[in-house]
């Protein structure tokens, strides 16, 4: 990794003088370059910000692999505005020469973008054509139970869908996209095709409903196959043939309309919705009117059999006139002549004619008669309960076409299958996410409000129909007993034609919408490439219209038209929709139980138990509707699943099933070997490096507490330690160390594995742990190691060198690195923060770890009450107001709640204090390189250097010339106690491993506290000097001294000078904003490429974090770990 970085980066001098246009290859760990390209390793030279400013010199060597935040935010502002067609973001064109067209800004709100489209898709043909019949057959109680079950299913599904839809941007494809990205391409493809088939058959159902309204209620004389005089099977066959002929014609016309101009379909959508709303309002108005003036719709009953009111005008056998008794037209229907002595049908002769009111009204008390079900066999008479009937037992019924008959055998489960399509359509909002102004707010609110509204309409309709309409009329599916009127239309005010016309246009509109949406869904599946034989359907016209997919959709829809019966088509699409909804619930439950870091829905009112209940309801309803249809649908889905598994394209979308693989055995390990996890499925799999004391106990137990707070028992954790020696001699110590690790892991509730490595030296042992930890795909991707706190002490002189090599190795291995500083101050698992902030200082973007870690910490009870703040740094040329706006937008799409602040850090002159600190480093380095001193001489030499530097600092008082620097104040006593060890260590380290003259070690890389004093860590003289002189003081002599020192300063290494300036300036602003924060997360700069500068790197890190109680230095692994997508 180090070599790769060197090859693709310019020399240090070039980085300061020219723009770097080098394009680095993607790291192996990325796995998904297309998704990472807006962030890490961007190859767009325009976006590579130059790090030539003095303020950011610490990060200049990595400038072409990790962009500055200020240069990144402008692209983040447009990150969510993706083309909302069937082409999804992961499969977008990635050619270097291509440029995406600007996307029109979203403009629709909750009402127009989600609520009304869902309302239009949910309310439809079943409400107008079958709802009254369902109430009559099943009774008010059972019909209410059916409605409640179905509406509860869709409500639970909507809750799960809202959680998934608000967990990122959902491009076109709706539920297919959500399921495939949550459960994997196999499940996604199988369920996506089932959902496509359901949508296609829904189009057929709407067209059949449209034809039924046309031929039965509007123009019956338009029938091609005449039904006059036909009875039984012949009449039924004629009706079905009419449906087939007209259905094919209407389907062809609609397909042409969709092909020619889909924009006209969208423009007419509001008109169709207005028809639906007007029709429903007319029904409610009519119900209110029945309370005081019921409409006149008489029903003629012979005995207890309901007659078809057709061909007669008076419901009586004879009528009295002035010249005597006269027979009626009804007499002539059942008798062979109009005379009173004519031969009549036996049932007609033996029973009386009764006229009853078809719409008694809401106050009539008819509800009691309609409470319970009255299921019938096919061909049974629709009878009025309570009326006498005389029937000859051995006689065969005649004139059956004059009675209202049951056209199908009815039972409870069949009613469920016919009714369920009336509650589908809840995905309309999520399919339009790209057109919404605020999709993550609009989709849950709009969808749940639409389902609530329609559920109220359906439930109230059951009660109102049962309260207003006579039972015989309710059971009359086609309204034959009420002069051929649509039954629900008899309730409407001011006229039944309001409902007839409204329902006709609404079914036409719904059919057009289905023929518009289904081909696009198929195109989305085809363009994903997961089903090879469907790829041809991914092509279309030049404007993206799915021509071939529309052709296939029309052909499949024709199958439904040929079935020709609304009652037979409805259960088929019920199966497909129920299967789709079942997997939406499953996806939400799996993601919730896995608790993947990317699972951060903005919609909070969900729970895995609700998703599981919704999934169970869907599965139950599938078998309740039709067990054989359910088996067929599941078999189709299973075949598609296996086909995609064995023949489909390789896809990695970060699915939840992939996460479950971590707890499986061989199969899962082999599957994890297929490639790196997707960004959405990424979680920190941590290798914790701990050190042991002489008693083989862990020196940093709080490191495991932090691990527990980061992991919460999820994913992989390996706790590793290194022992020095040989394996044969130290094997017992290794076992003892392993037991000590297990005991501490159990105490800290860290679930994972422990590993002890023995090597001849600690450096190699740590390297072995980093390289060889884990098994196959079950490997760590993050290393957690403590900052070497005693790195300046003589007996620990090698610790800082080992630490820097660890930083280099993790970078080379594309692993993230977390370095807590002052780990003893971190909270234990038993502590609770009741308030405070977790501050993130986002200076460069190296994958999003800084965003993800606070979110993970806040899942733990220790940090739950802490609020998150994100600070980023604006340079001289940056628009800080726009940066704040863009960062706020980005965080919103990430579903992360955090306060945002942009800190302006303009270029300023390098302070005298910075010059002095750098000068001391270089002077010391030169002296220690040229002479080999004894221990006593080392102490004397370092004291002389300290004295001269102290005097120079006292004369100049550097803070008077520049802006105030910041650090916490420490008592002088501590400074005095630490001085001898630090001075001794300083010389010891330099003489043992002499560095080059350009990069000496500086033990005094400190900054100052606003209005107080500088932190004292290395000489008593410095402590006294800094405390004695006020920071803000300045004298003409001091300024004169600064100019007198200029010749010395000009010989300083400019790279060291700029890095020291960066560390001091950053520390100044961090202290000012975050001194009281519970935890500060900060980008960790990489070590210098020139190894001779390692000592200075440690000093720069000390200066950067001076005065902060808890610091977590974060270094990304070279890939994206957070995404806005679902």
């Amino acid at each position: 990794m180090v070599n790769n970085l060197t090859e693709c980066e310019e020399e240090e001098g070039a980085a300061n003088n020219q723009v770097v246009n080098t394009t680095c290859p993607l790291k192996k760990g990325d796995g998904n370059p297309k998704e990472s390209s807006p962030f890490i390793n961007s190859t767009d030279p325009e976006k590579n910000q130059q790090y030539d400013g003095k303020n950011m010199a610490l990060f200049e060597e990595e400038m072409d692999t990790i962009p500055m935040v200020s240069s990144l935010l402008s692209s983040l502002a447009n990150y969510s505005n993706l083309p909302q067609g069937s082409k999804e973001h992961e499969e977008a064109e990635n050619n270097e020469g291509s440029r995406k067209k600007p996307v029109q800004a979203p403009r629709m709100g909750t009402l127009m973008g989600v609520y009304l489209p869902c309302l239009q898709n949910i309310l439809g043909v079943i409400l107008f054509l079958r709802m009254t019949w369902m109430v009559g057959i099943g009774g008010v109680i059972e019909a209410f139970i059916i409605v409640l079950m179905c509406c509860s299913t869709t409500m639970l599904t909507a809750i799960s869908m809202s959680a998934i839809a608000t967990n990122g941007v959902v491009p076109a494809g709706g539920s297919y996209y959500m399921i495939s990205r949550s459960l994997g391409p196999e499940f996604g493809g199988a369920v996506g095709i089932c959902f496509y088939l359901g949508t296609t058959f829904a189009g057929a159902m709407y067209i059949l409903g449209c034809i039924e309204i046309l031929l039965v209620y509007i123009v019956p004389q338009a029938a091609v196959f005449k039904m006059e005089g036909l009875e039984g099977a012949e009449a039924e066959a004629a009706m079905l043939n009419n449906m087939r002929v007209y259905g094919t014609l209407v389907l062809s016309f609609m397909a042409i309309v969709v092909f020619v101009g889909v924009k006209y379909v969208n423009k007419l959508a509001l008109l169709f919705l207005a028809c639906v709303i007007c029709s429903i309002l007319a029904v409610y108005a009519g119900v209110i009117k029945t309370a005081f003036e019921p409409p006149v719709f008489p029903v003629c009953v012979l005995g207890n059999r309901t007659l078809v009111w057709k061909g007669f005008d008076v419901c009586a056998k004879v009528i009295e006139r002035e010249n005597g008794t006269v027979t009626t037209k009804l007499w002539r229907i059942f008798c062979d002549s109009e005379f009173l002595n004519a031969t009549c049908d036996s049932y007609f002769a033996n029973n009386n004619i009764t006229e009853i009111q078809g719409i008694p009204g809401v106050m009539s008390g008819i509800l009691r008669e309609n409470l319970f079900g009255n299921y019938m066999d096919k061909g049974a008479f629709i009878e009025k309960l309570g009326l006498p009937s005389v029937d000859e037992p051995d006689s065969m019924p005649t004139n059956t076409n004059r009675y209202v008959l049951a056209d199908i055998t009815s039972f409870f489960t069949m009613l469920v299958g016919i009714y369920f399509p009336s509650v589908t359509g809840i995905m309309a909002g999520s399919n339009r996410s790209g057109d919404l102004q605020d999709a993550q707010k609009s989709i849950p609110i709009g969808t749940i409000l639409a389902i609530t509204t329609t559920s109220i309409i359906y439930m109230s309709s059951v009660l109102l129909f049962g309260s207003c309409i006579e039972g015989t009329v309710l059971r009359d599916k086609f309204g034959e007993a009420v002069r051929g009127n649509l039954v629900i239309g008899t309730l409407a005010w001011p006229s039944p034609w309001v409902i007839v016309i409204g329902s006709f246009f609404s079914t036409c509109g719904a059919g057009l919408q289905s023929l518009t949406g289904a081909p696009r869904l198929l195109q989305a599946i085809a363009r994903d490439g997961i089903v090879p034989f469907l790829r041809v359907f991914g092509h279309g016209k030049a404007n993206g219209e799915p021509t071939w997919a529309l052709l296939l959709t029309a052909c499949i829809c024709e199958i439904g038209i040929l079935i020709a019966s609304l009652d037979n088509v409805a259960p088929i699409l019920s199966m497909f929709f129920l299967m789709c909804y079942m997997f939406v619930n499953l996806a939400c439950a799996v993601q919730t139980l896995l608790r993947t870091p990317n699972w951060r829905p903005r919609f909070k009112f969900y729970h895995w138990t609700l998703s599981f209940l919704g999934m169970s309801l869907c599965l139950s309803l599938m078998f309740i509707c039709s067990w054989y249809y359910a088996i067929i649908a599941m078999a189709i889905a299973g075949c598609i699943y296996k086909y995609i598994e064995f023949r489909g394209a390789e896809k990695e979308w970060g699915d939840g099933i992939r996460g479950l693989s971590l707890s499986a055995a061989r199969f899962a390990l082999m599957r994890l070997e297929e490639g790196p996890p997707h960004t959405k499925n990424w979680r920190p799999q941590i290798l914790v490096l701990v050190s042991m004391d002489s008693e083989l106990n862990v020196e940093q137990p709080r490191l495991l507490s932090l691990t527990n707070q980061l992991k919460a028992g999820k994913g992989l954790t390996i706790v590793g330690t290194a022992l020095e020696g040989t394996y044969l001699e130290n094997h017992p110590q290794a076992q003892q160390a392993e037991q000590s690790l297990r005991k501490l892991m159990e105490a800290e509730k860290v679930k994972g594995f422990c590993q002890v490595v023995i090597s001849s030296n600690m450096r190699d042992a740590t390297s072995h742990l980093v390289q060889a930890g884990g098994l196959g795909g079950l490997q760590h991707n993050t290393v957690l190691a403590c900052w070497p706190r005693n790195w300046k002490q003589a007996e620990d002189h090698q610790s800082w060198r080992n630490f820097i090599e660890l930083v280099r190795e993790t970078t080379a291995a594309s692993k993230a690195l977390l370095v807590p500083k002052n780990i003893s101050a971190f909270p234990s698992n038993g502590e609770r923060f009741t308030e405070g902030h977790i501050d993130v200082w986002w200076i460069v973007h190296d994958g999003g770890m800084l965003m993800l870690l606070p979110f993970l910490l806040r899942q733990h009870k220790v940090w739950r009450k802490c609020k998150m703040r994100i600070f980023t740094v604006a340079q001289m040329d940056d628009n800080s107001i726009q940066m704040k706006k863009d960062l706020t937008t980005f965080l919103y799409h990430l579903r992360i709640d955090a306060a945002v602040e942009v800190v302006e850090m303009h270029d300023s002159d390098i302070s005298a204090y910075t010059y002095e600190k750098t000068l001391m480093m270089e002077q010391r380095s030169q002296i220690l390189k040229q002479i080999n001193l004894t221990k006593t001489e080392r102490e004397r030499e370092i004291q002389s250097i300290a004295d001269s530097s102290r005097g120079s600092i006292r004369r100049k008082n550097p803070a008077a010339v520049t802006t105030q620097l910041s650090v916490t104040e420490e008592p002088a006593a501590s400074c005095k106690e630490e001085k001898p060890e630090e001075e001794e260590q300083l010389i010891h380290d330099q003489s043992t491993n002499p560095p080059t003259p350009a990069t000496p070690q500086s033990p005094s890389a400190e900054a100052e506290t606003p209005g107080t004093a500088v932190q004292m860590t290395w000489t008593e003289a410095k402590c006294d000097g800094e405390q004695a002189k006020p920071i803000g003081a300045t004298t003409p002599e001091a300024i004169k001294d600064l100019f007198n020192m200029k010749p010395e300063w000009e010989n300083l290494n400019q790279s060291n000078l700029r890095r020291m300036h960066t560390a001091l300036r950053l520390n100044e602003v961090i202290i000012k904003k975050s001194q009281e924060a519970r935890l500060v997360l900060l980008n960790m700069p990489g070590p210098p490429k020139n190894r001779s500068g390692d000592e200075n790197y440690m000093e720069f890190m000390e200066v950067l974090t001076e005065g902060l109680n808890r610091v977590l230095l974060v270094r990304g692994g070279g890939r994206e770990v957070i995404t806005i997508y679902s």
Side-chain angles (χ1 to χ4, degrees):
M1 179 67 189
V2 175
N3 294 333
N4 291 340
L5 285 174
T6 305
E7 291 171 3
C8 69
E9 292 179 350
E10 296 293 333
E11 293 298 325
E12 184 180 288
N16 297 330
N17 300 319
Q18 63 183 18
V19 177
V20 177
N21 291 325
T22 308
T23 300
C24 294
L26 273 177
K27 299 182 183 119
K28 185 177 179 180
D30 264 319
N32 193 346
K34 292 174 184 158
E35 188 170 59
S36 301
S37 59
F39 301 109
I40 293 182
N41 300 327
S42 177
T43 58
D44 189 350
E46 297 176 1
K47 294 179 182 176
N48 282 336
Q49 169 134 349
Q50 182 61 269
Y51 286 64
D52 55 358
K54 298 182 290 291
N55 288 338
M56 292 296 119
L58 275 177
F59 303 94
E60 64 185 0
E61 289 192 347
E62 300 173 298
M63 56 178 294
D64 53 353
T65 56
I66 52 175
M68 284 290 294
V69 173
S70 55
S71 66
L72 180 76
L73 286 175
S74 59
S75 62
L76 296 186
N78 297 320
Y79 186 40
S80 62
N81 296 336
L82 299 166
Q84 295 296 320
S86 55
K87 182 180 292 185
E88 300 168 9
H89 76 283
E90 290 173 328
E91 300 299 324
E93 294 295 327
N94 198 36
N95 297 329
E96 293 182 1
S98 64
R99 289 293 181 269
K100 293 181 180 178
K101 296 180 180 179
V103 182
Q104 185 178 1
R107 59 186 181 278
M108 287 196 291
T110 303
L111 180 67
M112 296 298 296
V114 180
Y115 180 74
L116 293 180
C118 285
L119 216 60
Q120 179 187 0
N121 280 266
I122 296 172
L123 298 172
V125 61
I126 300 297
L127 173 64
F128 298 120
L129 297 182
R130 293 294 182 269
M131 193 73 172
T132 54
W133 174 76
M134 189 184 79
V135 175
I137 294 293
V140 172
I141 295 176
E142 292 184 24
F144 193 86
I145 291 173
I146 292 173
V147 171
L148 183 63
M149 275 198 310
C150 295
C151 290
S152 299
T153 301
T154 53
M155 179 60 79
L156 292 171
T157 304
I159 291 172
S160 299
M161 185 199 72
S162 297
I164 298 174
T166 59
N167 191 47
V169 177
V170 180
S175 59
Y176 158 70
Y177 182 91
M178 290 188 288
I179 293 170
S180 63
R181 271 55 176 178
S182 297
L183 294 179
E186 295 87 359
F187 276 110
V191 180
I193 291 176
C194 287
F195 187 51
Y196 161 75
L197 293 174
T199 306
T200 304
F201 276 104
M205 183 188 73
Y206 291 130
I207 292 174
L208 291 174
C210 170
I211 302 305
E212 183 176 310
I213 294 171
L214 181 70
L215 294 182
V216 177
Y217 305 110
I218 299 179
V219 280
Q221 59 273 20
V224 176
F225 298 88
K226 302 299 180 183
M227 293 180 288
E228 294 293 334
L230 299 179
E231 297 185 15
E234 294 179 351
E236 182 182 358
M239 181 65 182
L240 294 179
N241 288 332
N242 285 323
M243 301 286 281
R244 293 182 181 112
V245 171
Y246 278 97
T248 303
L249 293 176
V250 172
L251 173 62
S252 303
F253 175 74
M254 287 184 175
I256 292 172
V257 170
V258 172
F259 176 78
V260 171
V262 70
K263 60 182 180 181
Y264 300 112
V265 177
N266 295 329
K267 288 181 179 179
L268 291 173
L270 278 179
L271 173 64
F272 297 141
L273 177 62
C275 293
V276 176
I277 294 175
C278 289
S279 301
I280 293 171
L281 292 177
V283 171
Y284 280 107
V287 169
I288 296 172
K289 187 173 180 292
T290 63
F292 50 87
E293 188 184 343
V296 179
F297 280 100
V299 176
C300 195
V301 180
L302 175 61
N304 63 355
R305 298 176 184 176
T306 307
L307 294 176
V308 175
W309 195 298
K310 187 178 182 182
F312 63 93
D313 52 358
V314 179
C315 182
K317 293 182 180 181
V318 294
I319 56 174
E320 297 293 334
R321 289 192 176 169
E322 295 178 356
N323 54 351
T325 303
V326 180
T327 58
T328 62
K329 291 183 180 180
L330 185 60
W331 175 282
R332 296 164 198 159
I333 291 174
F334 286 94
C335 300
D336 55 5
S337 71
E338 61 183 10
F339 303 108
L340 293 173
N341 59 354
T343 304
C344 297
D345 180 87
S346 60
Y347 188 82
F348 180 79
N350 295 333
N351 291 274
N352 295 324
I353 294 287
T354 307
E355 182 177 298
I356 60 175
Q357 179 57 268
I359 313 292
V362 72
M363 306 299 291
S364 64
I366 196 70
L367 178 63
R368 287 192 299 273
E369 296 183 15
N370 295 329
L371 281 177
F372 301 102
N374 189 4
Y375 297 103
M376 296 179 294
D377 294 328
K378 183 178 181 180
F381 296 104
I382 305 295
E383 298 177 346
K384 167 63 179 172
L385 302 178
L387 291 181
S389 175
V390 179
D391 192 8
E392 296 179 4
D394 297 330
S395 63
M396 291 293 294
T398 56
N399 294 308
T400 54
N401 61 332
R402 301 302 179 184
Y403 300 103
V404 181
L405 305 176
D407 65 326
I408 57 174
T409 301
S410 55
F411 42 90
F412 178 81
T413 57
M414 185 204 67
L415 295 183
V416 177
I418 291 176
Y419 173 74
F420 187 80
S422 66
V423 296
T424 59
I426 63 175
M427 303 289 184
S430 62
N431 289 341
R432 296 167 178 251
S433 61
D435 300 325
L436 300 175
Q437 193 170 8
D438 187 353
Q440 297 188 356
K441 176 183 176 183
S442 297
I443 288 176
I445 295 175
T447 305
I448 291 174
L449 277 181
I451 293 175
T452 304
T453 304
T454 53
S455 299
I456 292 172
I457 291 173
Y458 285 135
M459 291 179 185
S460 63
S461 296
V462 170
L463 298 175
L464 294 177
F465 293 162
S467 302
C468 297
I469 305 177
E470 169 63 44
T472 55
V473 179
L474 287 173
R475 291 187 287 276
D476 181 7
K477 183 184 289 186
F478 301 107
E480 295 172 305
V482 285
R483 302 178 188 270
N485 282 296
L486 183 61
V487 174
I488 192 175
T490 60
L491 266 183
W493 179 87
S495 167
W497 283 101
V498 176
I499 296 290
V500 173
I501 300 301
S503 60
F504 176 76
F505 281 112
S506 72
T507 51
C508 287
L512 282 171
Q513 292 287 348
S514 296
L515 288 179
T516 303
R520 279 156 181 75
L521 177 59
L522 180 62
Q523 188 182 49
I525 299 172
R527 288 191 173 180
D528 267 343
I530 58 174
V531 184
F533 71 82
L534 290 180
R535 285 176 183 164
V536 65
F537 299 107
H539 305 294
K541 294 193 293 186
N543 60 354
E545 292 298 319
T547 307
W548 292 105
L550 175 61
L551 183 62
L552 179 63
T553 301
C555 293
I556 296 174
C557 195
E558 179 64 19
I559 297 174
I561 298 295
L562 294 177
I563 294 174
S565 171
L566 187 78
D567 302 319
N568 292 334
V569 172
I572 296 176
L573 62 102
S574 292
M575 290 300 111
F576 293 128
F577 278 120
L578 280 167
M579 181 172 292
C580 175
Y581 295 166
M582 179 177 72
F583 280 99
V584 169
N585 284 294
L586 175 62
C588 182
V590 166
Q591 297 279 30
T592 306
L593 290 173
L594 284 178
R595 296 181 185 176
T596 54
N598 189 63
W599 182 245
R600 302 181 304 276
R602 191 163 293 279
F603 179 78
K604 301 298 183 185
F605 305 101
Y606 70 95
H607 195 267
W608 70 267
T609 53
L610 295 178
S611 299
F612 186 79
L613 178 61
M615 182 181 67
S616 303
L617 269 175
C618 290
L619 186 61
S620 303
L621 286 176
M622 285 178 67
F623 284 92
I624 288 174
C625 293
S626 174
W627 63 268
Y628 48 89
Y629 276 168
I631 292 175
I632 292 172
M634 295 175 76
I636 292 173
C639 292
I640 298 170
Y641 178 94
K642 297 306 289 184
Y643 176 81
I644 294 173
E645 186 178 22
F646 289 109
R647 297 291 304 276
E650 292 290 335
K651 293 290 172 182
E652 170 49 44
W653 288 325
D655 51 272
I657 297 299
R658 182 70 177 264
L660 289 173
S661 300
L662 292 174
S663 60
R666 173 183 171 277
F667 173 78
L669 285 173
M670 296 300 295
R671 190 173 183 188
L672 288 172
E673 279 286 291
E674 294 173 3
H678 190 275
T679 301
K680 292 178 299 180
N681 210 37
W682 194 95
R683 69 164 77 242
Q685 319 288 7
I686 299 179
L687 169 63
V688 186
L689 297 179
V690 298
S691 57
M692 313 293 283
D693 59 17
S694 58
E695 301 295 326
L696 294 180
N697 293 319
V698 177
E699 290 184 340
Q700 311 97 356
R702 288 293 171 87
L703 203 58
L704 292 186
S705 301
L706 178 61
T707 305
N708 175 272
Q709 293 157 25
L710 277 171
K711 299 293 292 181
K714 299 295 180 182
L716 172 70
T717 302
I718 302 174
V719 181
T721 190
L723 299 180
E724 196 168 356
T726 62
Y727 182 75
L728 293 177
E729 296 176 356
N730 297 89
H731 181 61
Q733 289 87 335
Q735 289 182 322
Q736 184 180 347
E738 186 172 344
Q739 291 177 356
S740 178
L741 287 178
R742 290 188 186 279
K743 184 177 180 181
L744 183 60
M745 289 172 67
E746 184 177 352
E748 296 291 345
K749 299 180 180 178
V750 174
K751 297 179 181 178
F753 312 98
C754 59
Q755 192 169 357
V756 179
V757 172
I758 303 175
S759 183
S760 57
N761 61 77
M762 300 296 286
R763 172 84 288 278
D764 290 344
T766 304
S767 179
H768 297 334
L769 279 171
V770 173
Q771 294 178 55
L775 174 64
L778 198 65
Q779 289 186 343
H780 58 276
N781 53 32
T782 304
V783 176
L784 177 62
C786 275
W787 177 263
R789 58 188 177 124
N790 297 324
W791 65 274
K792 296 179 182 180
Q793 295 181 4
E795 63 272 13
D796 205 20
H797 70 279
Q798 192 62 29
S799 64
W800 61 270
R801 299 186 187 277
N802 292 344
F803 175 77
I804 294 178
E805 288 303 307
L806 175 65
V807 177
R808 289 195 172 106
E809 286 184 358
T810 54
T811 304
S814 298
K815 300 185 188 302
L817 177 64
L818 309 180
V819 181
K821 197 165 181 287
N822 195 13
I823 185 64
S824 59
F826 277 67
S828 66
N829 291 329
E831 295 182 43
R832 302 287 184 275
F833 288 133
T834 56
E835 59 182 0
H837 295 93
I838 299 176
D839 285 358
V840 176
W841 283 83
W842 192 29
I843 300 168
V844 294
H845 180 80
D846 57 352
M849 282 286 286
L850 283 172
M851 304 290 183
L852 187 62
L853 293 175
F855 170 79
L856 296 176
L857 284 173
R858 292 180 68 235
Q859 306 304 303
H860 197 275
K861 52 193 174 183
V862 172
W863 304 92
R864 190 165 294 155
K865 297 291 181 66
C866 293
K867 295 182 179 179
M868 184 175 167
R869 296 188 301 190
I870 294 184
F871 298 89
T872 191
V873 176
Q875 299 290 309
M876 180 71 74
D877 298 331
D878 297 328
N879 183 342
S880 58
I881 297 176
Q882 186 62 38
M883 282 179 65
K884 182 173 182 179
K885 184 186 298 184
D886 293 343
L887 182 54
T888 303
T889 301
F890 182 54
L891 289 176
Y892 181 82
H893 287 300
L894 286 176
R895 293 90 62 202
I896 291 178
D897 296 321
V900 174
E901 185 170 343
V902 177
V903 179
E904 295 186 355
M905 229 175 87
H906 302 308
D907 283 342
S908 61
D909 293 334
I910 298 178
S911 67
Y913 183 44
T914 307
Y915 276 101
E916 282 299 325
K917 292 179 75 65
T918 311
L919 180 62
M920 288 194 312
M921 287 168 44
E922 299 204 356
Q923 288 175 341
R924 219 170 36 249
S925 178
Q926 291 287 347
I927 294 171
L928 296 180
K929 183 180 179 183
Q930 294 172 6
I931 57 177
N932 185 16
L933 305 175
T934 64
K935 181 176 181 181
T936 306
E937 291 172 327
R938 291 174 193 165
E939 295 176 356
R940 192 183 310 117
E941 184 65 29
I942 191 64
Q943 186 62 47
S944 65
I945 295 174
D947 291 340
S948 62
S949 300
R950 178 186 59 207
S952 173
I953 292 173
R954 280 175 171 168
R955 289 196 310 272
K956 295 167 187 57
N957 189 18
V961 188
T962 62
T963 57
Q964 292 183 357
L965 307 172
S966 46
V967 193
T968 57
E969 181 177 1
E970 289 185 2
S974 64
C975 187
K976 295 178 182 178
E977 291 173 1
E978 291 181 10
K979 180 188 71 170
E981 288 183 354
E982 293 179 0
E983 293 175 351
E984 178 182 336
Q985 171 62 20
L986 183 67
I987 303 297
H988 176 77
D989 286 354
Q990 298 289 358
S991 59
T992 306
N993 298 291
T996 61
T999 55
Q1001 178 182 351
S1002 169
S1004 58
E1006 286 84 27
E1008 303 167 1
T1009 305
T1012 60
V1014 175
Q1015 182 173 355
M1016 293 92 36
T1017 57
W1018 93 263
T1019 66
E1020 178 183 354
K1022 180 180 184 310
C1023 295
D1024 296 338
E1026 291 300 315
Q1027 284 183 320
K1029 194 84 169 177
I1031 287 184
T1034 181
T1035 63
E1037 290 79 12
I1039 298 176
K1040 184 177 179 181
D1041 284 342
L1042 292 179
F1043 286 103
N1044 291 338
M1045 289 295 293
K1046 264 293 179 65
E1048 287 185 43
W1049 293 347
E1050 287 178 354
N1051 296 325
L1052 294 177
N1053 183 290
Q1054 292 300 307
S1055 176
N1056 287 341
L1057 191 62
R1058 286 185 290 106
R1059 283 173 167 81
M1060 183 65 74
H1061 180 70
T1062 298
L1064 287 168
R1065 289 297 311 279
L1066 282 176
N1067 181 261
E1068 171 192 346
V1069 295
I1070 293 173
I1071 288 290
K1072 182 178 179 182
K1073 299 288 185 180
S1074 302
Q1075 192 168 19
E1076 302 300 324
R1078 299 295 187 183
L1079 177 64
V1080 175
L1081 285 87
L1082 180 65
N1083 285 115
M1084 182 179 184
K1089 298 178 204 173
N1090 186 355
R1091 292 176 182 269
S1092 61
D1094 287 354
E1095 308 91 339
N1096 295 338
Y1097 174 75
M1098 299 297 288
E1099 288 291 347
F1100 294 144
M1101 293 297 98
E1102 288 283 3
V1103 172
L1104 183 63
T1105 58
E1106 202 75 60
L1108 298 172
N1109 186 27
R1110 299 184 192 91
V1111 183
L1112 185 59
L1113 296 170
V1114 180
R1115 187 161 174 79
R1119 62 158 295 157
E1120 287 296 324
V1121 301
I1122 196 166
T1123 177
I1124 69 171
Y1125 292 103
S1126 171

